């Protein structure tokens, strides 16, 4: 079910009405749980089996970690929890990649192996397995650290733990594409919620900006950026292709940031705070800054559960570079079961490592405006070029696109399509530019920071959603 | 303290009402739209808003037939990247009764897009679109900007660079090197037959036509198989078939889509021949 579907709004209305009927944590958790499972099962009900099994295993292992008295037993439960979640992810997401790479072409779906390999990727699996790992590790770390306060909060036995864990893993605003919320941040929020406590303005702001970014910016740009794929790319000049690639950069931001904001707004409607996922990523002047602004919840997850355990930057320069490459390659593979995603991760890992090597140079130390612009341009260019691997996960297509970009350098620049691209990109560009001026706005545009102006801007966005929404397309991150 | 929601609501209501009034009463039509999906929706909405006597349903091959030649007598529901089945299902499920429906036979192996049909027929959207332009595809601000841009720059049909044309042609040749997948194709033929029967029951005549394409691709394995099977399922003796040809062979942009001149020629042919099918 898409957040833009009419069925979703019906589900949301019913869930909201039922949720605030009674102010009781147990009842409200049950309502959200039913709504989340219904939401997930809408198009492919059989996927509930896998989600249920995965949630049950995470429930059992995390409960084992929480209740185990001996260190070895606790450790065993934790290892089991992590291995099971990784196993589920590996089996359902990477089976075809591994088979293709190690054995050869996939067998026809007649025999057992062929049938297993033909199972489509369960939607949201990358997210709920990461939630499961976060749960087990957070509980384990708290117990190992001797903390008396469990990240799971106050519970009343296994059934209560199961109910809470199922909600944590299936909470519908973030079930399919995040943001990835850590167990220690989510469990303490599970309590009785009151209708009077809803922060309506915050909800409205997140939902309006989210739907605006998704429906008006991303969905319309999606209709224009399809030309990057061969053979369409052969009909555009180099400059036109560059502009379309920049537009794709904006589209992927608007698509995912829009989704995240909708998720945050919906969660607030039910009294839950989800972490921010994007903070003006395209103003970043360094790659490390970019990753503190782009898909922040994934960056934080990889940092806490992979990079730090690998040693982070505490084991010397060379080991740090290796860790960066490894973590980013894994992060790339998390996005999709294809070597192009691993290459995309290595592209970013390499950029992070090179930046780390060069961070003592004048290029990175200078505070001059020109140096800042050069650093920003470098980051934006490298990031945007990297998105070609998202748009065209087939290496041959990327090669064709690069070939067309070179061959068409003398072709006449077409003015029509760039005008449309700029029209759709403008809100995101303005959004980033305004952020640059947040501390010292020029006098001429200082009024834009006023409370009333924000209300008017949100009202205009709402109108744009009504008159300019593009044809709904699935969220790009749904495929992950 | 919570910030008030009133400024958001008032701004949205006023700006929406103002925009809706402008597009409702402004003296212009929207002949072009900016992308494939919108174009298809506009074609479907155009039929639903004012159903004519004859309707063409087809793919992008039919889409290129100029509406200024065909209209007002003939509506063109050629859908770019789409199937004739989608247009056919729209006509059948819409409740409208044109005198004649002409089905393009070239790409009948493409599936029916149920969602697109439902999206056009759903209540209250269909009702709102019929009465308020602001809800119709094409009347959004970006499209008006696009239309103005094309008007002021005197935009003409873009010339496809030879390299791009070669790639498109090779793509078409590869695609047509194999006959369509038999199970899906047969399912599409069965569905077409069911929709045709339903329309005939309502008193609507149904005919067929094959759009000419590049002579080098006309007898490809895919085209030969489709031609054979469609004509077997809908034999010329039982159904009206238009005979559309370009003297000396069709000229195309990419192997399958006719040039503007040939499109106009075929459109005039259709206009002349369709009367014999009613």
């Amino acid at each position: 079910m898409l957040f833009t579907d009419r069925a979703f709004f019906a589900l949301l209305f019913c869930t909201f009405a039922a949720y605030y009927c009674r102010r009781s944590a147990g009842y409200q958790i049950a309502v959200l749980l039913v709504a989340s499972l219904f939401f997930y099962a809408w198009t492919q009900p059989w996927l509930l089996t896998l989600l249920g099994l995965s949630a049950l295993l995470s429930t059992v292992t995390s409960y084992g970690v929480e209740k185990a008295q001996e260190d070895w037993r606790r450790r065993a439960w934790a290892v089991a929890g992590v291995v099971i979640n990784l196993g589920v992810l590996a089996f359902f997401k990477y089976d075809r990649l591994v088979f293709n790479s190690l054995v050869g072409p996939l067998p026809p779906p007649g025999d057992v192996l062929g049938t297993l390999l033909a199972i489509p990727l369960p939607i949201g699996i990358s997210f709920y397995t990461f939630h499961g790992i976060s749960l087990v590790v957070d509980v384990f770390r708290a117990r190992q650290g001797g903390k008396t306060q469990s990240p799971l909060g106050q519970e009343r036995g296994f059934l209560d733990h199961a109910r809470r864990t199922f909600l944590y893993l299936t909470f519908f605003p973030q079930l399919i594409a995040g943001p990835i919320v850590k167990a220690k941040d989510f469990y303490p929020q599970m309590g009785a919620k009151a209708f009077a406590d809803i922060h309506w303005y915050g909800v409205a702001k997140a939902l309006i900006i989210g739907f605006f970014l998704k429906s008006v910016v991303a969905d319309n740009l999606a209709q224009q950026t399809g030309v990057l794929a061969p053979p369409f790319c052969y009909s555009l000049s180099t400059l036109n292709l560059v502009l379309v690639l920049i537009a794709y950069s904006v589209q992927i931001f608007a698509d995912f940031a829009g989704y995240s904001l909708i998720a945050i707004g919906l969660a607030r409607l039910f009294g839950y705070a989800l972490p921010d996922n994007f903070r003006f990523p395209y103003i970043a002047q360094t790659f490390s800054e970019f990753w503190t602004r782009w898909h922040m919840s994934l960056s934080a997850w990889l940092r806490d559960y992979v990079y730090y355990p690998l040693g982070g930057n505490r084991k010397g320069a060379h080991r740090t570079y290796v860790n960066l490459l490894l973590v980013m390659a894994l992060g790339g593979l998390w996005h999709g079961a294809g070597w192009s995603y691993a290459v995309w991760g290595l592209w970013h890992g390499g950029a992070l490592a090179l930046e780390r090597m060069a961070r003592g140079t004048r290029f990175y130390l200078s505070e001059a405006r020109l140096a800042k612009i050069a650093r920003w341009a470098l980051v934006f260019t490298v990031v945007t070029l990297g998105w070609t691997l998202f748009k065209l996960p087939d290496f041959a297509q990327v090669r064709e696109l690069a070939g067309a970009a070179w061959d068409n350098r003398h072709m006449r620049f077409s003015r029509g399509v760039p005008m449309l691209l700029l029209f759709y990109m403008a809100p995101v560009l303005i959004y980033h530019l305004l952020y640059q001026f947040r501390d010292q706005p020029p006098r001429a545009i200082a009024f834009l920071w006023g409370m009333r102006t924000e209300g008017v801007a949100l009202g205009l966005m709402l109108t744009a959603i009504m008159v300019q929404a593009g044809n709904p397309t699935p969220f790009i991150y749904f495929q992950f | 303290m919570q910030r008030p929601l009133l400024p958001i609501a008032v701004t949205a209501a006023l700006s929406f009402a103002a925009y809706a009034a402008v597009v409702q009463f402004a003296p212009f039509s929207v002949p072009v739209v900016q992308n494939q999906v919108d174009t298809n929706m506009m074609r479907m909405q155009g039929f639903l808003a004012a159903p004519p006597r004859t309707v063409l349903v087809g793919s992008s091959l039919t889409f290129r037939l100029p509406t200024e030649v065909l209209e007002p007598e003939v509506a063109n529901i050629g859908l770019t990247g789409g199937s004739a089945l989608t247009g056919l299902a729209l006509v059948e499920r819409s409740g409208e009764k044109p005198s004649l429906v002409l089905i393009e036979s070239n790409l009948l192996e493409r599936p029916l897009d149920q969602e697109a049909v439902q999206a056009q027929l759903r209540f209250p959207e269909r009702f709102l679109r019929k009465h308020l332009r602001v809800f119709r595809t094409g009347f959004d601000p970006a499209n008006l900007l696009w239309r103005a841009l094309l008007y002021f720059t005197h935009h003409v049909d873009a010339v496809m660079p030879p390299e791009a044309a070669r790639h498109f042609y090779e793509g078409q040749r590869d695609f047509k090197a194999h006959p369509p997948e038999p199970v899906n194709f047969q399912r599409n033929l069965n569905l077409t037959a069911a929709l045709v029967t339903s329309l005939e029951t309502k008193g609507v005549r149904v005919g067929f036509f094959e759009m000419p394409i590049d002579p080098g691709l006309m007898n490809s394995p895919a085209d030969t198989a489709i031609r054979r099977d469609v004509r077997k399922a809908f034999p010329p003796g039982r159904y009206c078939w238009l005979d559309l040809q370009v003297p000396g062979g069709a000229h195309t942009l990419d192997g399958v889509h006719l040039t503007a001149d040939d499109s106009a020629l075929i459109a005039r042919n259709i206009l002349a021949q369709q009367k014999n099918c009613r």
Side-chain angles (χ1 to χ4, degrees):
Chain A
M1 196 183 284
L2 293 177
F3 284 164
T4 44
D5 283 351
R6 156 197 301 229
F8 173 73
F9 289 103
L11 173 68
L12 182 65
F13 178 79
C14 296
T15 309
F16 184 77
Y19 187 76
Y20 285 108
C21 268
R22 240 174 86 185
R23 192 177 173 179
S24 140
Y27 167 79
Q28 289 177 326
I29 288 173
V31 169
L32 281 183
L33 198 50
V34 171
S36 299
L37 297 179
F38 190 79
F39 171 80
Y40 191 72
W42 181 249
T43 43
Q44 292 169 297
W46 68 271
L47 287 179
L48 263 187
T49 319
L50 177 64
L51 177 65
L53 193 67
S54 174
L56 184 65
L57 291 170
S58 291
T59 304
V60 171
T61 50
S62 58
Y63 194 73
V65 176
E66 172 79 357
K67 299 297 175 192
Q69 296 303 318
E70 300 89 354
D71 181 58
W72 69 269
R73 208 182 284 268
R74 199 179 300 140
R75 197 172 290 273
W77 278 116
V79 169
V82 172
V83 168
I84 285 169
N85 273 296
L86 287 178
V88 168
L89 189 59
F91 181 78
F92 286 99
K93 186 164 179 174
Y94 300 106
D95 52 348
R96 274 160 286 189
L97 177 69
V98 172
F99 194 91
N100 261 326
S101 306
L102 298 180
V103 183
L106 298 179
D111 57 8
V112 177
L113 184 65
T115 307
L116 285 174
L117 288 167
I119 296 173
L121 177 71
I123 197 164
I125 192 169
S126 306
F127 289 91
Y128 65 71
T129 50
F130 267 33
H131 278 118
I133 293 170
S134 162
L135 168 66
V136 174
V137 174
D138 281 359
V139 178
F140 177 75
R141 283 179 178 168
R143 294 298 313 275
Q144 290 296 93
K147 287 183 185 167
T148 50
Q149 182 68 42
S150 164
L152 301 182
Q154 296 296 319
E155 287 175 25
R156 295 183 293 274
F158 180 78
L159 279 181
D160 187 44
H161 173 63
R163 192 165 50 180
R164 286 165 189 264
T165 303
F166 267 68
L167 178 63
Y168 166 60
L169 295 174
T170 65
F171 186 41
F172 72 87
Q174 44 90 331
L175 170 60
I176 289 171
I180 300 170
V181 51
K182 290 177 191 157
K184 62 185 178 194
D185 298 326
F186 193 83
Y187 277 77
Q189 297 187 53
M190 287 192 232
K193 313 285 183 184
F195 181 81
D197 293 338
I198 299 173
H199 191 285
W200 286 106
Y201 190 86
V203 170
K205 185 176 171 180
L207 290 179
I208 290 173
I209 298 177
F211 276 112
F212 177 83
L213 285 174
K214 170 61 184 160
S215 301
V216 178
V217 179
D219 283 348
N220 280 306
L221 282 175
Q223 302 300 330
Q224 310 293 338
T225 57
V227 293
L228 284 173
F232 305 104
C233 59
Y234 290 103
S235 58
L236 294 181
S237 73
T238 304
L239 198 52
N240 280 115
L241 283 174
V242 169
L243 271 170
V244 178
L245 189 56
I246 292 172
Y248 184 67
S249 208
V250 171
Q251 179 198 333
I252 198 166
F253 162 75
D255 190 277
F256 196 20
Y259 177 89
S260 299
L261 280 168
I262 295 169
I264 288 167
L266 291 172
R268 281 189 96 157
L269 207 52
F270 296 99
Y272 287 83
L274 297 183
D276 284 343
N277 224 10
F278 291 85
R279 200 171 54 218
F280 306 91
Y282 289 145
I283 63 156
Q285 291 176 32
T286 63
F287 295 105
S288 48
E289 184 191 358
F290 176 80
W291 282 105
T292 59
R293 294 176 177 279
W294 179 276
H295 203 175
M296 292 146 66
S297 63
L298 176 69
S299 308
W301 195 98
L302 289 171
R303 184 195 63 215
D304 290 356
Y305 301 114
V306 187
Y307 184 66
Y308 286 166
L310 283 171
N313 56 3
R314 300 187 308 274
K315 296 192 173 178
H318 289 99
R319 180 64 186 271
T320 304
Y321 304 144
V322 172
N323 287 347
L324 284 171
L325 287 169
L326 196 62
V327 170
M328 293 311 290
L330 287 173
L333 270 178
W334 175 86
H335 283 87
W339 293 121
S340 61
Y341 290 103
V343 172
W344 173 80
L346 285 170
W347 172 261
H348 274 274
L352 283 165
L354 285 172
E355 180 178 275
R356 206 171 176 84
M357 284 179 207
R359 65 182 173 176
T361 61
R362 240 173 61 192
F363 180 72
Y364 279 104
L365 295 175
S366 173
E367 284 297 310
R369 179 169 288 192
L370 206 60
K372 286 181 180 175
I373 292 172
R375 287 199 294 266
W376 166 82
L378 176 70
V379 172
F380 185 74
T381 305
V382 170
V383 168
T384 299
L385 286 175
W387 292 135
T388 51
L389 291 163
F390 262 65
K391 182 69 182 168
L392 309 169
D394 183 350
F395 287 123
Q397 288 191 320
V398 176
R399 239 188 352 256
E400 279 197 65
L401 173 62
W406 176 255
D407 293 343
N408 297 353
R409 62 194 183 281
H410 301 305
M411 200 184 280
R412 208 169 128 254
F413 177 69
S414 155
R415 286 168 299 170
V417 173
M419 289 292 288
L420 271 178
L421 295 178
L422 283 175
F423 182 78
Y424 290 127
M425 288 194 292
V428 171
L429 302 179
I430 293 169
Y431 182 66
H432 278 77
L433 275 176
L434 287 179
Y435 184 74
Q436 291 285 42
F437 294 119
R438 66 199 179 281
D439 295 329
Q440 289 174 310
R443 193 175 296 169
I445 56 168
F447 71 94
L448 289 174
W449 278 261
M451 193 196 274
R452 271 203 195 133
T453 315
E454 186 175 275
V456 170
L458 290 172
L460 290 174
M461 282 186 198
L462 197 53
T463 300
I465 293 167
M466 290 187 275
V467 301
Q468 186 64 72
N471 194 46
T473 51
F475 289 93
I476 293 174
Y477 265 66
F478 271 18
Q479 62 185 302
F480 308 137
Chain B
M1 198 187 96
Q2 294 220 11
R3 283 184 176 189
L5 291 171
L6 197 63
I8 301 177
V10 170
T11 308
L14 289 179
S15 54
F16 179 78
Y19 186 75
V22 167
V23 295
Q24 187 72 24
F25 301 111
F28 54 68
S29 63
V30 184
V32 286
V33 285
Q34 37 168 322
N35 63 58
Q36 188 169 299
V37 178
D38 283 5
T39 306
N40 290 347
M41 288 202 286
M42 206 176 81
R43 285 288 167 95
M44 292 194 268
Q45 289 166 16
F47 163 75
L48 292 172
R53 293 184 67 190
T54 301
V55 185
L56 302 181
V57 294
S59 66
S60 56
L61 309 188
T62 298
F63 168 80
R64 286 188 60 80
L65 299 174
T67 48
E68 58 270 25
V69 175
L70 296 169
E71 287 175 350
E73 199 170 347
V74 177
N76 179 354
I77 318 184
L79 305 178
T80 55
S83 164
L85 268 173
T86 306
L88 187 61
L90 180 84
V91 176
E92 196 271 333
R93 290 172 198 170
S94 66
E96 306 291 349
K97 284 185 197 163
S99 307
L100 174 66
V101 175
L102 291 167
I103 304 168
E104 176 206 298
S105 64
N106 300 62
L107 291 165
L108 267 177
E109 81 272 24
R110 286 188 180 167
L112 161 65
D113 186 347
Q114 297 273 17
E115 220 168 279
V117 175
Q118 280 164 8
Q120 295 309 321
L121 298 179
R122 228 174 6 216
F123 181 84
E125 286 94 325
R126 183 178 175 183
F127 173 81
L128 288 172
R129 274 195 289 264
K130 196 169 176 96
H131 299 286
L132 292 172
R133 278 175 155 189
V134 72
F135 291 110
R136 271 184 228 162
T137 305
F139 285 95
D140 51 70
N143 197 53
L144 298 183
L145 172 81
W146 178 239
R147 182 183 182 276
L149 195 77
L150 296 188
Y151 179 79
F152 288 116
T153 55
H154 306 291
H155 186 82
V156 290
D157 209 6
V159 179
M160 193 179 293
E163 183 68 3
R166 189 177 64 77
H167 274 96
F168 280 112
Y169 188 90
E170 284 171 1
Q172 291 293 346
R173 196 187 52 204
D174 294 346
F175 176 71
K176 289 173 176 292
H178 307 284
E181 199 278 312
V183 176
N184 288 337
F185 184 44
Q186 190 53 50
R187 192 168 51 211
N188 283 359
L189 285 179
N190 295 342
L191 182 56
T192 308
L195 291 167
V196 165
T197 306
S198 170
L199 281 170
E200 284 179 330
T201 313
K202 293 172 189 166
V204 178
R205 291 292 313 273
V206 178
F208 290 83
F209 64 98
E210 182 182 345
M211 285 293 290
I213 58 172
D214 184 89
L217 297 174
M218 279 293 280
N219 295 315
S220 66
D223 282 61
T224 306
I226 292 172
R227 191 175 300 125
R228 184 193 61 219
D229 291 354
V230 176
R231 282 175 188 260
K232 194 174 154 197
F234 305 99
R238 161 88 173 77
Y239 295 92
C240 178
W241 276 82
L242 306 188
D243 181 23
L244 305 176
Q245 285 179 21
V246 178
H251 303 91
T252 66
L253 299 172
D254 54 4
V256 293
H257 296 102
L258 294 180
T259 57
D261 287 347
D262 281 6
S263 294
L265 177 75
I266 294 297
R268 284 193 293 273
N269 269 341
I270 289 176
L271 210 53
Q273 290 183 38
Q274 51 98 20
K275 290 175 181 139
N276 304 330
C277 293
R278 280 186 190 154

